[in-house]
PDB file of all heavy atoms in Angstrom:
ATOM      1  N   MET A   1       7.382   4.100 -18.092  1.00 81.00           N
ATOM      2  CA  MET A   1       7.477   3.009 -17.143  1.00 81.00           C
ATOM      3  C   MET A   1       6.764   3.396 -15.842  1.00 81.00           C
ATOM      4  O   MET A   1       6.967   4.473 -15.303  1.00 81.00           O
ATOM      5  CB  MET A   1       8.948   2.718 -16.865  1.00 81.00           C
ATOM      6  CG  MET A   1       9.140   1.625 -15.838  1.00 81.00           C
ATOM      7  SD  MET A   1      10.857   1.164 -15.649  1.00 81.00           S
ATOM      8  CE  MET A   1      11.298   2.164 -14.260  1.00 81.00           C
ATOM      9  N   LEU A   2       5.923   2.517 -15.381  1.00 84.00           N
ATOM     10  CA  LEU A   2       5.181   2.745 -14.141  1.00 84.00           C
ATOM     11  C   LEU A   2       6.113   2.626 -12.946  1.00 84.00           C
ATOM     12  O   LEU A   2       6.886   1.670 -12.834  1.00 84.00           O
ATOM     13  CB  LEU A   2       4.050   1.724 -14.009  1.00 84.00           C
ATOM     14  CG  LEU A   2       3.205   1.816 -12.744  1.00 84.00           C
ATOM     15  CD1 LEU A   2       2.418   3.124 -12.718  1.00 84.00           C
ATOM     16  CD2 LEU A   2       2.273   0.631 -12.642  1.00 84.00           C
ATOM     17  N   ARG A   3       6.048   3.613 -12.061  1.00 90.00           N
ATOM     18  CA  ARG A   3       6.804   3.566 -10.813  1.00 90.00           C
ATOM     19  C   ARG A   3       5.802   3.593  -9.671  1.00 90.00           C
ATOM     20  O   ARG A   3       4.845   4.370  -9.690  1.00 90.00           O
ATOM     21  CB  ARG A   3       7.759   4.753 -10.723  1.00 90.00           C
ATOM     22  CG  ARG A   3       8.836   4.721 -11.793  1.00 90.00           C
ATOM     23  CD  ARG A   3       9.720   5.931 -11.746  1.00 90.00           C
ATOM     24  NE  ARG A   3      10.566   5.884 -10.553  1.00 90.00           N
ATOM     25  CZ  ARG A   3      11.273   6.935 -10.121  1.00 90.00           C
ATOM     26  NH1 ARG A   3      11.234   8.080 -10.764  1.00 90.00           N
ATOM     27  NH2 ARG A   3      12.021   6.827  -9.038  1.00 90.00           N
ATOM     28  N   LEU A   4       6.027   2.741  -8.663  1.00 91.00           N
ATOM     29  CA  LEU A   4       5.135   2.643  -7.504  1.00 91.00           C
ATOM     30  C   LEU A   4       5.912   2.898  -6.220  1.00 91.00           C
ATOM     31  O   LEU A   4       7.036   2.423  -6.065  1.00 91.00           O
ATOM     32  CB  LEU A   4       4.493   1.257  -7.440  1.00 91.00           C
ATOM     33  CG  LEU A   4       3.578   0.888  -8.591  1.00 91.00           C
ATOM     34  CD1 LEU A   4       3.098  -0.555  -8.437  1.00 91.00           C
ATOM     35  CD2 LEU A   4       2.402   1.840  -8.667  1.00 91.00           C
ATOM     36  N   PHE A   5       5.262   3.627  -5.313  1.00 93.00           N
ATOM     37  CA  PHE A   5       5.912   4.038  -4.068  1.00 93.00           C
ATOM     38  C   PHE A   5       5.027   3.776  -2.862  1.00 93.00           C
ATOM     39  O   PHE A   5       3.806   3.642  -2.974  1.00 93.00           O
ATOM     40  CB  PHE A   5       6.212   5.539  -4.115  1.00 93.00           C
ATOM     41  CG  PHE A   5       7.099   5.946  -5.247  1.00 93.00           C
ATOM     42  CD1 PHE A   5       6.564   6.327  -6.467  1.00 93.00           C
ATOM     43  CD2 PHE A   5       8.476   5.955  -5.099  1.00 93.00           C
ATOM     44  CE1 PHE A   5       7.381   6.701  -7.517  1.00 93.00           C
ATOM     45  CE2 PHE A   5       9.302   6.331  -6.145  1.00 93.00           C
ATOM     46  CZ  PHE A   5       8.753   6.704  -7.353  1.00 93.00           C
ATOM     47  N   HIS A   6       5.662   3.785  -1.705  1.00 93.00           N
ATOM     48  CA  HIS A   6       4.981   3.761  -0.413  1.00 93.00           C
ATOM     49  C   HIS A   6       5.686   4.805   0.443  1.00 93.00           C
ATOM     50  O   HIS A   6       6.913   4.838   0.504  1.00 93.00           O
ATOM     51  CB  HIS A   6       5.089   2.381   0.244  1.00 93.00           C
ATOM     52  CG  HIS A   6       4.396   2.299   1.560  1.00 93.00           C
ATOM     53  ND1 HIS A   6       3.053   1.988   1.661  1.00 93.00           N
ATOM     54  CD2 HIS A   6       4.841   2.507   2.819  1.00 93.00           C
ATOM     55  CE1 HIS A   6       2.710   1.995   2.939  1.00 93.00           C
ATOM     56  NE2 HIS A   6       3.778   2.308   3.658  1.00 93.00           N
ATOM     57  N   VAL A   7       4.913   5.669   1.092  1.00 95.00           N
ATOM     58  CA  VAL A   7       5.471   6.694   1.978  1.00 95.00           C
ATOM     59  C   VAL A   7       5.112   6.318   3.403  1.00 95.00           C
ATOM     60  O   VAL A   7       3.963   5.983   3.700  1.00 95.00           O
ATOM     61  CB  VAL A   7       4.909   8.096   1.634  1.00 95.00           C
ATOM     62  CG1 VAL A   7       5.477   9.147   2.576  1.00 95.00           C
ATOM     63  CG2 VAL A   7       5.201   8.451   0.182  1.00 95.00           C
ATOM     64  N   SER A   8       6.097   6.379   4.286  1.00 95.00           N
ATOM     65  CA  SER A   8       5.879   5.968   5.668  1.00 95.00           C
ATOM     66  C   SER A   8       6.712   6.813   6.617  1.00 95.00           C
ATOM     67  O   SER A   8       7.735   7.387   6.227  1.00 95.00           O
ATOM     68  CB  SER A   8       6.266   4.499   5.837  1.00 95.00           C
ATOM     69  OG  SER A   8       6.117   4.093   7.183  1.00 95.00           O
ATOM     70  N   GLU A   9       6.271   6.866   7.854  1.00 96.00           N
ATOM     71  CA  GLU A   9       7.060   7.478   8.914  1.00 96.00           C
ATOM     72  C   GLU A   9       7.975   6.444   9.558  1.00 96.00           C
ATOM     73  O   GLU A   9       8.761   6.770  10.438  1.00 96.00           O
ATOM     74  CB  GLU A   9       6.132   8.119   9.948  1.00 96.00           C
ATOM     75  CG  GLU A   9       5.345   9.285   9.377  1.00 96.00           C
ATOM     76  CD  GLU A   9       4.317   9.850  10.330  1.00 96.00           C
ATOM     77  OE1 GLU A   9       4.524   9.789  11.549  1.00 96.00           O
ATOM     78  OE2 GLU A   9       3.291  10.364   9.841  1.00 96.00           O
ATOM     79  N   GLU A  10       7.877   5.210   9.109  1.00 95.00           N
ATOM     80  CA  GLU A  10       8.696   4.118   9.640  1.00 95.00           C
ATOM     81  C   GLU A  10       9.948   3.921   8.779  1.00 95.00           C
ATOM     82  O   GLU A  10       9.841   3.680   7.583  1.00 95.00           O
ATOM     83  CB  GLU A  10       7.903   2.815   9.662  1.00 95.00           C
ATOM     84  CG  GLU A  10       6.699   2.852  10.574  1.00 95.00           C
ATOM     85  CD  GLU A  10       5.924   1.548  10.510  1.00 95.00           C
ATOM     86  OE1 GLU A  10       6.562   0.475  10.465  1.00 95.00           O
ATOM     87  OE2 GLU A  10       4.689   1.622  10.483  1.00 95.00           O
ATOM     88  N   PRO A  11      11.127   3.993   9.410  1.00 96.00           N
ATOM     89  CA  PRO A  11      12.354   3.750   8.648  1.00 96.00           C
ATOM     90  C   PRO A  11      12.622   2.251   8.504  1.00 96.00           C
ATOM     91  O   PRO A  11      12.112   1.440   9.270  1.00 96.00           O
ATOM     92  CB  PRO A  11      13.429   4.401   9.519  1.00 96.00           C
ATOM     93  CG  PRO A  11      12.910   4.255  10.917  1.00 96.00           C
ATOM     94  CD  PRO A  11      11.397   4.383  10.793  1.00 96.00           C
ATOM     95  N   ASN A  12      13.383   1.902   7.507  1.00 94.00           N
ATOM     96  CA  ASN A  12      13.906   0.538   7.359  1.00 94.00           C
ATOM     97  C   ASN A  12      12.852  -0.552   7.240  1.00 94.00           C
ATOM     98  O   ASN A  12      13.020  -1.641   7.785  1.00 94.00           O
ATOM     99  CB  ASN A  12      14.861   0.200   8.509  1.00 94.00           C
ATOM    100  CG  ASN A  12      15.996   1.195   8.592  1.00 94.00           C
ATOM    101  OD1 ASN A  12      16.543   1.594   7.571  1.00 94.00           O
ATOM    102  ND2 ASN A  12      16.331   1.616   9.796  1.00 94.00           N
ATOM    103  N   ILE A  13      11.775  -0.305   6.537  1.00 95.00           N
ATOM    104  CA  ILE A  13      10.809  -1.373   6.287  1.00 95.00           C
ATOM    105  C   ILE A  13      11.443  -2.294   5.252  1.00 95.00           C
ATOM    106  O   ILE A  13      11.781  -1.868   4.141  1.00 95.00           O
ATOM    107  CB  ILE A  13       9.464  -0.824   5.773  1.00 95.00           C
ATOM    108  CG1 ILE A  13       8.833   0.098   6.813  1.00 95.00           C
ATOM    109  CG2 ILE A  13       8.519  -1.979   5.434  1.00 95.00           C
ATOM    110  CD1 ILE A  13       7.562   0.791   6.334  1.00 95.00           C
ATOM    111  N   SER A  14      11.630  -3.540   5.605  1.00 93.00           N
ATOM    112  CA  SER A  14      12.285  -4.469   4.680  1.00 93.00           C
ATOM    113  C   SER A  14      11.285  -5.366   3.949  1.00 93.00           C
ATOM    114  O   SER A  14      11.557  -5.832   2.849  1.00 93.00           O
ATOM    115  CB  SER A  14      13.319  -5.320   5.403  1.00 93.00           C
ATOM    116  OG  SER A  14      12.717  -6.047   6.441  1.00 93.00           O
ATOM    117  N   VAL A  15      10.128  -5.615   4.572  1.00 91.00           N
ATOM    118  CA  VAL A  15       9.096  -6.446   3.955  1.00 91.00           C
ATOM    119  C   VAL A  15       7.754  -5.744   4.118  1.00 91.00           C
ATOM    120  O   VAL A  15       7.383  -5.347   5.225  1.00 91.00           O
ATOM    121  CB  VAL A  15       9.042  -7.848   4.615  1.00 91.00           C
ATOM    122  CG1 VAL A  15       7.897  -8.663   4.041  1.00 91.00           C
ATOM    123  CG2 VAL A  15      10.356  -8.577   4.458  1.00 91.00           C
ATOM    124  N   PHE A  16       7.049  -5.592   3.023  1.00 88.00           N
ATOM    125  CA  PHE A  16       5.716  -5.010   3.062  1.00 88.00           C
ATOM    126  C   PHE A  16       4.705  -6.148   3.056  1.00 88.00           C
ATOM    127  O   PHE A  16       4.521  -6.817   2.041  1.00 88.00           O
ATOM    128  CB  PHE A  16       5.490  -4.086   1.862  1.00 88.00           C
ATOM    129  CG  PHE A  16       6.219  -2.781   2.001  1.00 88.00           C
ATOM    130  CD1 PHE A  16       7.553  -2.677   1.637  1.00 88.00           C
ATOM    131  CD2 PHE A  16       5.577  -1.676   2.512  1.00 88.00           C
ATOM    132  CE1 PHE A  16       8.236  -1.490   1.775  1.00 88.00           C
ATOM    133  CE2 PHE A  16       6.248  -0.479   2.655  1.00 88.00           C
ATOM    134  CZ  PHE A  16       7.581  -0.381   2.286  1.00 88.00           C
ATOM    135  N   GLU A  17       4.101  -6.381   4.183  1.00 87.00           N
ATOM    136  CA  GLU A  17       3.121  -7.452   4.329  1.00 87.00           C
ATOM    137  C   GLU A  17       1.753  -6.960   3.866  1.00 87.00           C
ATOM    138  O   GLU A  17       1.273  -5.934   4.353  1.00 87.00           O
ATOM    139  CB  GLU A  17       3.028  -7.896   5.789  1.00 87.00           C
ATOM    140  CG  GLU A  17       4.284  -8.529   6.331  1.00 87.00           C
ATOM    141  CD  GLU A  17       4.590  -9.879   5.729  1.00 87.00           C
ATOM    142  OE1 GLU A  17       3.671 -10.526   5.178  1.00 87.00           O
ATOM    143  OE2 GLU A  17       5.766 -10.285   5.794  1.00 87.00           O
ATOM    144  N   PRO A  18       1.119  -7.666   2.951  1.00 87.00           N
ATOM    145  CA  PRO A  18      -0.249  -7.284   2.561  1.00 87.00           C
ATOM    146  C   PRO A  18      -1.173  -7.315   3.776  1.00 87.00           C
ATOM    147  O   PRO A  18      -1.031  -8.170   4.650  1.00 87.00           O
ATOM    148  CB  PRO A  18      -0.638  -8.348   1.535  1.00 87.00           C
ATOM    149  CG  PRO A  18       0.667  -8.844   1.009  1.00 87.00           C
ATOM    150  CD  PRO A  18       1.609  -8.802   2.185  1.00 87.00           C
ATOM    151  N   ARG A  19      -2.095  -6.352   3.820  1.00 87.00           N
ATOM    152  CA  ARG A  19      -3.019  -6.240   4.945  1.00 87.00           C
ATOM    153  C   ARG A  19      -4.457  -6.131   4.453  1.00 87.00           C
ATOM    154  O   ARG A  19      -4.710  -5.610   3.368  1.00 87.00           O
ATOM    155  CB  ARG A  19      -2.706  -4.985   5.769  1.00 87.00           C
ATOM    156  CG  ARG A  19      -1.334  -4.986   6.362  1.00 87.00           C
ATOM    157  CD  ARG A  19      -1.091  -3.720   7.129  1.00 87.00           C
ATOM    158  NE  ARG A  19       0.290  -3.699   7.607  1.00 87.00           N
ATOM    159  CZ  ARG A  19       0.807  -2.717   8.279  1.00 87.00           C
ATOM    160  NH1 ARG A  19       0.095  -1.658   8.570  1.00 87.00           N
ATOM    161  NH2 ARG A  19       2.068  -2.771   8.672  1.00 87.00           N
ATOM    162  N   VAL A  20      -5.367  -6.582   5.289  1.00 90.00           N
ATOM    163  CA  VAL A  20      -6.791  -6.410   5.001  1.00 90.00           C
ATOM    164  C   VAL A  20      -7.082  -4.915   5.117  1.00 90.00           C
ATOM    165  O   VAL A  20      -6.703  -4.285   6.111  1.00 90.00           O
ATOM    166  CB  VAL A  20      -7.659  -7.227   5.993  1.00 90.00           C
ATOM    167  CG1 VAL A  20      -9.134  -6.932   5.776  1.00 90.00           C
ATOM    168  CG2 VAL A  20      -7.367  -8.713   5.846  1.00 90.00           C
ATOM    169  N   PRO A  21      -7.741  -4.335   4.134  1.00 85.00           N
ATOM    170  CA  PRO A  21      -7.984  -2.890   4.173  1.00 85.00           C
ATOM    171  C   PRO A  21      -9.006  -2.498   5.233  1.00 85.00           C
ATOM    172  O   PRO A  21      -9.936  -3.249   5.529  1.00 85.00           O
ATOM    173  CB  PRO A  21      -8.509  -2.584   2.771  1.00 85.00           C
ATOM    174  CG  PRO A  21      -9.125  -3.857   2.322  1.00 85.00           C
ATOM    175  CD  PRO A  21      -8.296  -4.956   2.945  1.00 85.00           C
ATOM    176  N   SER A  22      -8.829  -1.320   5.780  1.00 85.00           N
ATOM    177  CA  SER A  22      -9.808  -0.799   6.739  1.00 85.00           C
ATOM    178  C   SER A  22     -10.912  -0.018   6.020  1.00 85.00           C
ATOM    179  O   SER A  22     -11.973   0.197   6.578  1.00 85.00           O
ATOM    180  CB  SER A  22      -9.124   0.098   7.780  1.00 85.00           C
ATOM    181  OG  SER A  22      -8.467   1.165   7.138  1.00 85.00           O
ATOM    182  N   ARG A  23     -10.652   0.377   4.783  1.00 83.00           N
ATOM    183  CA  ARG A  23     -11.653   1.125   4.013  1.00 83.00           C
ATOM    184  C   ARG A  23     -12.837   0.231   3.690  1.00 83.00           C
ATOM    185  O   ARG A  23     -12.675  -0.934   3.321  1.00 83.00           O
ATOM    186  CB  ARG A  23     -11.031   1.659   2.724  1.00 83.00           C
ATOM    187  CG  ARG A  23     -10.039   2.773   2.983  1.00 83.00           C
ATOM    188  CD  ARG A  23      -9.356   3.268   1.753  1.00 83.00           C
ATOM    189  NE  ARG A  23     -10.114   3.206   0.523  1.00 83.00           N
ATOM    190  CZ  ARG A  23      -9.644   3.580  -0.650  1.00 83.00           C
ATOM    191  NH1 ARG A  23      -8.425   4.026  -0.759  1.00 83.00           N
ATOM    192  NH2 ARG A  23     -10.381   3.489  -1.728  1.00 83.00           N
ATOM    193  N   GLU A  24     -14.020   0.772   3.800  1.00 87.00           N
ATOM    194  CA  GLU A  24     -15.251   0.019   3.551  1.00 87.00           C
ATOM    195  C   GLU A  24     -15.482  -0.288   2.073  1.00 87.00           C
ATOM    196  O   GLU A  24     -16.193  -1.215   1.738  1.00 87.00           O
ATOM    197  CB  GLU A  24     -16.460   0.769   4.118  1.00 87.00           C
ATOM    198  CG  GLU A  24     -16.445   0.900   5.635  1.00 87.00           C
ATOM    199  CD  GLU A  24     -16.403  -0.450   6.337  1.00 87.00           C
ATOM    200  OE1 GLU A  24     -17.089  -1.391   5.897  1.00 87.00           O
ATOM    201  OE2 GLU A  24     -15.662  -0.563   7.335  1.00 87.00           O
ATOM    202  N   ASP A  25     -14.886   0.484   1.185  1.00 84.00           N
ATOM    203  CA  ASP A  25     -15.128   0.297  -0.247  1.00 84.00           C
ATOM    204  C   ASP A  25     -14.192  -0.737  -0.891  1.00 84.00           C
ATOM    205  O   ASP A  25     -14.263  -0.969  -2.087  1.00 84.00           O
ATOM    206  CB  ASP A  25     -15.023   1.630  -0.987  1.00 84.00           C
ATOM    207  CG  ASP A  25     -13.659   2.275  -0.841  1.00 84.00           C
ATOM    208  OD1 ASP A  25     -13.006   2.075   0.201  1.00 84.00           O
ATOM    209  OD2 ASP A  25     -13.243   2.989  -1.770  1.00 84.00           O
ATOM    210  N   LEU A  26     -13.316  -1.363  -0.095  1.00 82.00           N
ATOM    211  CA  LEU A  26     -12.405  -2.364  -0.629  1.00 82.00           C
ATOM    212  C   LEU A  26     -12.779  -3.754  -0.127  1.00 82.00           C
ATOM    213  O   LEU A  26     -13.318  -3.905   0.963  1.00 82.00           O
ATOM    214  CB  LEU A  26     -10.961  -2.039  -0.236  1.00 82.00           C
ATOM    215  CG  LEU A  26     -10.423  -0.723  -0.787  1.00 82.00           C
ATOM    216  CD1 LEU A  26      -9.024  -0.451  -0.255  1.00 82.00           C
ATOM    217  CD2 LEU A  26     -10.412  -0.742  -2.308  1.00 82.00           C
ATOM    218  N   ASP A  27     -12.475  -4.740  -0.918  1.00 84.00           N
ATOM    219  CA  ASP A  27     -12.786  -6.139  -0.617  1.00 84.00           C
ATOM    220  C   ASP A  27     -12.003  -6.606   0.610  1.00 84.00           C
ATOM    221  O   ASP A  27     -10.780  -6.682   0.591  1.00 84.00           O
ATOM    222  CB  ASP A  27     -12.426  -6.984  -1.837  1.00 84.00           C
ATOM    223  CG  ASP A  27     -12.813  -8.446  -1.692  1.00 84.00           C
ATOM    224  OD1 ASP A  27     -13.205  -8.866  -0.581  1.00 84.00           O
ATOM    225  OD2 ASP A  27     -12.737  -9.157  -2.708  1.00 84.00           O
ATOM    226  N   LYS A  28     -12.711  -6.941   1.680  1.00 88.00           N
ATOM    227  CA  LYS A  28     -12.072  -7.355   2.928  1.00 88.00           C
ATOM    228  C   LYS A  28     -11.667  -8.831   2.927  1.00 88.00           C
ATOM    229  O   LYS A  28     -11.114  -9.319   3.896  1.00 88.00           O
ATOM    230  CB  LYS A  28     -12.975  -7.034   4.105  1.00 88.00           C
ATOM    231  CG  LYS A  28     -13.242  -5.537   4.233  1.00 88.00           C
ATOM    232  CD  LYS A  28     -13.409  -5.158   5.668  1.00 88.00           C
ATOM    233  CE  LYS A  28     -13.783  -3.719   5.798  1.00 88.00           C
ATOM    234  NZ  LYS A  28     -12.646  -2.833   5.793  1.00 88.00           N
ATOM    235  N   THR A  29     -11.926  -9.520   1.818  1.00 89.00           N
ATOM    236  CA  THR A  29     -11.474 -10.917   1.719  1.00 89.00           C
ATOM    237  C   THR A  29     -10.085 -10.986   1.084  1.00 89.00           C
ATOM    238  O   THR A  29      -9.515 -12.050   0.952  1.00 89.00           O
ATOM    239  CB  THR A  29     -12.453 -11.764   0.884  1.00 89.00           C
ATOM    240  OG1 THR A  29     -12.469 -11.272  -0.457  1.00 89.00           O
ATOM    241  CG2 THR A  29     -13.851 -11.733   1.491  1.00 89.00           C
ATOM    242  N   LYS A  30      -9.551  -9.833   0.678  1.00 85.00           N
ATOM    243  CA  LYS A  30      -8.228  -9.778   0.054  1.00 85.00           C
ATOM    244  C   LYS A  30      -7.313  -8.880   0.873  1.00 85.00           C
ATOM    245  O   LYS A  30      -7.768  -7.992   1.577  1.00 85.00           O
ATOM    246  CB  LYS A  30      -8.336  -9.226  -1.366  1.00 85.00           C
ATOM    247  CG  LYS A  30      -9.142 -10.094  -2.288  1.00 85.00           C
ATOM    248  CD  LYS A  30      -9.202  -9.507  -3.667  1.00 85.00           C
ATOM    249  CE  LYS A  30     -10.036 -10.390  -4.580  1.00 85.00           C
ATOM    250  NZ  LYS A  30     -10.171  -9.815  -5.902  1.00 85.00           N
ATOM    251  N   LYS A  31      -6.032  -9.138   0.760  1.00 86.00           N
ATOM    252  CA  LYS A  31      -5.031  -8.304   1.425  1.00 86.00           C
ATOM    253  C   LYS A  31      -4.305  -7.474   0.365  1.00 86.00           C
ATOM    254  O   LYS A  31      -4.112  -7.928  -0.763  1.00 86.00           O
ATOM    255  CB  LYS A  31      -4.038  -9.166   2.199  1.00 86.00           C
ATOM    256  CG  LYS A  31      -4.669  -9.896   3.361  1.00 86.00           C
ATOM    257  CD  LYS A  31      -3.627 -10.691   4.103  1.00 86.00           C
ATOM    258  CE  LYS A  31      -4.242 -11.377   5.306  1.00 86.00           C
ATOM    259  NZ  LYS A  31      -3.219 -12.114   6.071  1.00 86.00           N
ATOM    260  N   TYR A  32      -3.907  -6.263   0.756  1.00 83.00           N
ATOM    261  CA  TYR A  32      -3.280  -5.337  -0.167  1.00 83.00           C
ATOM    262  C   TYR A  32      -2.003  -4.755   0.417  1.00 83.00           C
ATOM    263  O   TYR A  32      -1.871  -4.611   1.629  1.00 83.00           O
ATOM    264  CB  TYR A  32      -4.208  -4.156  -0.468  1.00 83.00           C
ATOM    265  CG  TYR A  32      -5.536  -4.526  -1.062  1.00 83.00           C
ATOM    266  CD1 TYR A  32      -6.641  -4.776  -0.250  1.00 83.00           C
ATOM    267  CD2 TYR A  32      -5.702  -4.596  -2.439  1.00 83.00           C
ATOM    268  CE1 TYR A  32      -7.873  -5.094  -0.797  1.00 83.00           C
ATOM    269  CE2 TYR A  32      -6.935  -4.917  -2.991  1.00 83.00           C
ATOM    270  CZ  TYR A  32      -8.018  -5.162  -2.165  1.00 83.00           C
ATOM    271  OH  TYR A  32      -9.229  -5.479  -2.708  1.00 83.00           O
ATOM    272  N   VAL A  33      -1.095  -4.370  -0.469  1.00 84.00           N
ATOM    273  CA  VAL A  33       0.020  -3.508  -0.113  1.00 84.00           C
ATOM    274  C   VAL A  33      -0.314  -2.159  -0.743  1.00 84.00           C
ATOM    275  O   VAL A  33      -0.575  -2.085  -1.942  1.00 84.00           O
ATOM    276  CB  VAL A  33       1.365  -4.038  -0.658  1.00 84.00           C
ATOM    277  CG1 VAL A  33       2.464  -2.999  -0.485  1.00 84.00           C
ATOM    278  CG2 VAL A  33       1.743  -5.336   0.038  1.00 84.00           C
ATOM    279  N   TRP A  34      -0.334  -1.102   0.065  1.00 82.00           N
ATOM    280  CA  TRP A  34      -0.708   0.217  -0.423  1.00 82.00           C
ATOM    281  C   TRP A  34       0.443   0.793  -1.237  1.00 82.00           C
ATOM    282  O   TRP A  34       1.566   0.927  -0.744  1.00 82.00           O
ATOM    283  CB  TRP A  34      -1.037   1.140   0.755  1.00 82.00           C
ATOM    284  CG  TRP A  34      -1.547   2.457   0.306  1.00 82.00           C
ATOM    285  CD1 TRP A  34      -0.829   3.608   0.164  1.00 82.00           C
ATOM    286  CD2 TRP A  34      -2.873   2.776  -0.080  1.00 82.00           C
ATOM    287  NE1 TRP A  34      -1.629   4.610  -0.285  1.00 82.00           N
ATOM    288  CE2 TRP A  34      -2.897   4.132  -0.440  1.00 82.00           C
ATOM    289  CE3 TRP A  34      -4.056   2.032  -0.161  1.00 82.00           C
ATOM    290  CZ2 TRP A  34      -4.056   4.762  -0.870  1.00 82.00           C
ATOM    291  CZ3 TRP A  34      -5.202   2.675  -0.583  1.00 82.00           C
ATOM    292  CH2 TRP A  34      -5.199   4.012  -0.927  1.00 82.00           C
ATOM    293  N   ALA A  35       0.184   1.127  -2.488  1.00 86.00           N
ATOM    294  CA  ALA A  35       1.188   1.708  -3.368  1.00 86.00           C
ATOM    295  C   ALA A  35       0.574   2.872  -4.125  1.00 86.00           C
ATOM    296  O   ALA A  35      -0.626   2.867  -4.417  1.00 86.00           O
ATOM    297  CB  ALA A  35       1.702   0.661  -4.344  1.00 86.00           C
ATOM    298  N   ILE A  36       1.392   3.865  -4.419  1.00 86.00           N
ATOM    299  CA  ILE A  36       0.920   5.036  -5.153  1.00 86.00           C
ATOM    300  C   ILE A  36       1.831   5.280  -6.352  1.00 86.00           C
ATOM    301  O   ILE A  36       3.001   4.913  -6.337  1.00 86.00           O
ATOM    302  CB  ILE A  36       0.863   6.294  -4.260  1.00 86.00           C
ATOM    303  CG1 ILE A  36       2.211   6.533  -3.591  1.00 86.00           C
ATOM    304  CG2 ILE A  36      -0.244   6.166  -3.238  1.00 86.00           C
ATOM    305  CD1 ILE A  36       2.296   7.820  -2.801  1.00 86.00           C
ATOM    306  N   THR A  37       1.290   5.906  -7.359  1.00 87.00           N
ATOM    307  CA  THR A  37       2.071   6.221  -8.550  1.00 87.00           C
ATOM    308  C   THR A  37       2.906   7.475  -8.318  1.00 87.00           C
ATOM    309  O   THR A  37       2.655   8.257  -7.402  1.00 87.00           O
ATOM    310  CB  THR A  37       1.158   6.457  -9.763  1.00 87.00           C
ATOM    311  OG1 THR A  37       0.315   7.565  -9.486  1.00 87.00           O
ATOM    312  CG2 THR A  37       0.352   5.221 -10.099  1.00 87.00           C
ATOM    313  N   GLU A  38       3.869   7.658  -9.194  1.00 89.00           N
ATOM    314  CA  GLU A  38       4.733   8.842  -9.110  1.00 89.00           C
ATOM    315  C   GLU A  38       3.913  10.126  -9.216  1.00 89.00           C
ATOM    316  O   GLU A  38       4.184  11.109  -8.529  1.00 89.00           O
ATOM    317  CB  GLU A  38       5.778   8.766 -10.230  1.00 89.00           C
ATOM    318  CG  GLU A  38       6.830   9.824 -10.162  1.00 89.00           C
ATOM    319  CD  GLU A  38       7.928   9.583 -11.192  1.00 89.00           C
ATOM    320  OE1 GLU A  38       7.737   8.804 -12.152  1.00 89.00           O
ATOM    321  OE2 GLU A  38       8.990  10.186 -11.010  1.00 89.00           O
ATOM    322  N   LYS A  39       2.892  10.106 -10.054  1.00 86.00           N
ATOM    323  CA  LYS A  39       2.039  11.278 -10.231  1.00 86.00           C
ATOM    324  C   LYS A  39       1.356  11.679  -8.922  1.00 86.00           C
ATOM    325  O   LYS A  39       1.179  12.862  -8.632  1.00 86.00           O
ATOM    326  CB  LYS A  39       0.988  10.988 -11.303  1.00 86.00           C
ATOM    327  CG  LYS A  39       0.030  12.111 -11.565  1.00 86.00           C
ATOM    328  CD  LYS A  39      -0.955  11.715 -12.652  1.00 86.00           C
ATOM    329  CE  LYS A  39      -1.960  12.790 -12.933  1.00 86.00           C
ATOM    330  NZ  LYS A  39      -2.891  12.384 -13.995  1.00 86.00           N
ATOM    331  N   CYS A  40       1.000  10.700  -8.107  1.00 88.00           N
ATOM    332  CA  CYS A  40       0.289  10.972  -6.858  1.00 88.00           C
ATOM    333  C   CYS A  40       1.206  11.082  -5.642  1.00 88.00           C
ATOM    334  O   CYS A  40       0.736  11.386  -4.550  1.00 88.00           O
ATOM    335  CB  CYS A  40      -0.759   9.899  -6.615  1.00 88.00           C
ATOM    336  SG  CYS A  40      -2.058   9.933  -7.859  1.00 88.00           S
TER     337      CYS A  40
END
């Protein structure tokens, strides 16, 4: 089963709002929520 995580220095995040990425290699017309796998 795939598990996805977000690591932050901010406590108590209740809603993860998708954001336009700052990275140049990602589509800036879409918003993303940054998630990582358990392996990473």
Side-chain angles (χ1 to χ4, degrees):
M1 178 174 96
L2 179 66
R3 295 177 70 193
L4 296 176
F5 301 91
H6 181 87
V7 179
S8 178
E9 295 174 30
E10 297 178 41
N12 303 318
I13 299 175
S14 59
V15 176
F16 285 84
E17 295 291 340
R19 299 179 184 178
V20 174
S22 58
R23 290 177 31 181
E24 295 301 320
D25 60 330
L26 297 176
D27 185 351
K28 298 212 185 275
T29 64
K30 297 180 181 177
K31 294 182 178 182
Y32 301 91
V33 170
W34 185 263
I36 54 174
T37 61
E38 187 173 17
K39 179 179 179 179
C40 295

